Amino acid sequence: MKKETRARVLAHGEIARGVYRLAVETKQVAAPGCFYMIRAWEDEPLLSRPISIAKQEDGVTEFLYLVVGRGTKLLSKVKVGLKITLVGPLGNGFPLESGKIALVGGGIGIAPLIELSHALDVPPDVFLGFRDETYGEEYFRAKEIYVATESGAKGHKGFVTELFDAKEYDVIYACGPTPMLRALQHKVGDDAKLYLSLEAHMACGVGACIGCTVASGDTYKRVCKEGPVFLSQEVQL
Ligand SMILES: Cc1cc2nc3c(=O)[nH]c(=O)nc-3n(C[C@H](O)[C@H](O)[C@H](O)COP(=O)(O)OP(=O)(O)OC[C@H]3O[C@@H](n4cnc5c(N)ncnc54)[C@H](O)[C@@H]3O)c2cc1C
Ligand code: FES
């Protein structure tokens, strides 16, 4: 069982509507794609919230998160200099592959792909999809960055999945809403090796409660423990 640690907030601010960038002091080193269970409150809500590592360098871990409910709202109020509680790093992370690589992110799902873009041996092509307002493009290390917005506010008007031909890539890493990941499974098929970073409601975050499972063949896998990163063929979304 991983111990709780207290981490000092070094920087914290809103970078787009409802999207925050949080930097904290950490000692642990994690693979890209891992996450922490975070809490910035005392007793309520009961559960900590899983947030991916967006960047980790020189003892500083950065997160990008979207305010969607009570936990993330409380987190957004934390001032620089205070401490928050972390458990982790947790999860398997992205295996680092070589070849021609694409990263595909949808909305706040871009977060774990940022650290991955810095960890790969060659800068990848990065495809980012948003509903309307875009954010975070400048944090990536990329050969090229392509953007799609459903509203047409920036880049291609439509879905991020329309931006690329899977046959041009050896490996594709993706994180975003489940409908986007499902569309990617369908689009990519066997044209490229596809890794998906999944989201699930999590209670314990460490494999104990079976609250975060995803169907995998005739059985189930825990997103927090066996994941959150899976090969596309391993999971039925
Ligand atoms: C491995 C992992 C990594 C994640 N990384 C990030 C990240 O880097 N940045 C980020 O912003 N978010 C991330 N998330 C999602 C984040 O954990 C949730 O948005 C957060 O727990 C919501 O907490 P809340 O108390 O604000 O909202 P709640 O009050 O718990 O919920 C508010 C609303 O959001 C819905 N919701 C809550 N959690 C999820 C979920 N996991 N999937 C779908 N709907 C949900 C609820 O049904 C409800 O409608 C990650 C989730 C996982 C599993
Ligand atoms: S959250 Fe408890 S097993 Fe995954």
Side-chain angles (χ1 to χ4, degrees):
M1 186 76 150
K2 297 247 180 185
K3 279 211 200 101
E4 281 188 358
T5 54
R6 302 274 293 154
R8 187 175 304 282
V9 174
L10 302 173
H12 195 190
E14 196 173 15
I15 60 160
R17 210 174 317 125
V19 178
Y20 287 76
R21 185 180 190 208
L22 167 69
V24 300
E25 222 169 14
T26 47
K27 290 200 179 69
Q28 307 95 331
V29 177
C34 291
F35 65 96
Y36 283 94
M37 294 300 283
I38 293 185
R39 64 192 292 126
W41 52 87
E42 293 297 324
D43 303 329
E44 284 292 324
L46 186 63
L47 304 173
S48 302
R49 301 299 196 244
I51 302 288
S52 303
I53 292 161
K55 190 90 188 64
Q56 201 175 49
E57 201 169 29
D58 301 333
V60 178
T61 299
E62 290 183 30
F63 304 97
L64 273 195
Y65 67 91
L66 176 68
V67 172
V68 295
R70 196 145 164 239
T72 46
K73 179 95 192 156
L74 287 168
L75 183 59
S76 73
K77 306 285 180 213
V78 174
K79 301 261 185 295
V80 171
L82 293 179
K83 287 187 172 177
I84 61 170
T85 304
L86 303 180
V87 176
L90 302 169
N92 58 354
F94 294 109
L96 297 181
E97 302 259 11
S98 300
K100 190 158 183 224
I101 291 179
L103 310 190
V104 183
I108 199 64
I110 69 169
L113 301 177
I114 295 171
E115 176 65 8
L116 177 63
S117 74
H118 291 269
L120 292 165
D121 56 2
V122 175
D125 283 342
V126 174
F127 300 90
L128 304 177
F130 301 91
R131 284 216 180 100
D132 182 37
E133 190 182 4
T134 71
Y135 50 84
E137 297 103 303
E138 66 275 26
Y139 305 140
F140 282 89
R141 166 179 167 263
K143 183 161 165 268
E144 294 285 347
I145 298 192
Y146 305 87
V147 172
T149 52
E150 288 172 47
S151 67
K154 189 168 175 188
H156 169 75
K157 184 174 189 314
F159 293 119
V160 66
T161 43
E162 294 157 7
L163 283 177
F164 62 93
D165 179 356
K167 287 197 184 68
E168 288 184 18
Y169 295 96
D170 300 305
V171 186
I172 299 174
Y173 298 91
C175 184
T178 304
M180 181 195 103
L181 300 183
R182 218 179 273 131
L184 269 175
Q185 285 188 311
H186 187 70
K187 177 185 170 95
V188 175
D190 294 326
D191 290 342
K193 194 170 189 180
L194 174 62
Y195 288 105
L196 304 173
S197 180
L198 305 188
E199 269 204 16
H201 288 278
M202 287 187 181
C204 72
V206 293
C209 72
I210 324 287
C212 64
T213 54
V214 59
S216 176
D218 296 337
T219 177
Y220 289 91
K221 291 198 167 163
R222 294 164 296 183
V223 173
C224 68
K225 194 74 180 172
E226 285 83 44
V229 179
F230 296 93
L231 265 176
S232 173
Q233 288 80 0
E234 279 182 273
V235 287
Q236 289 91 52
L237 299 180

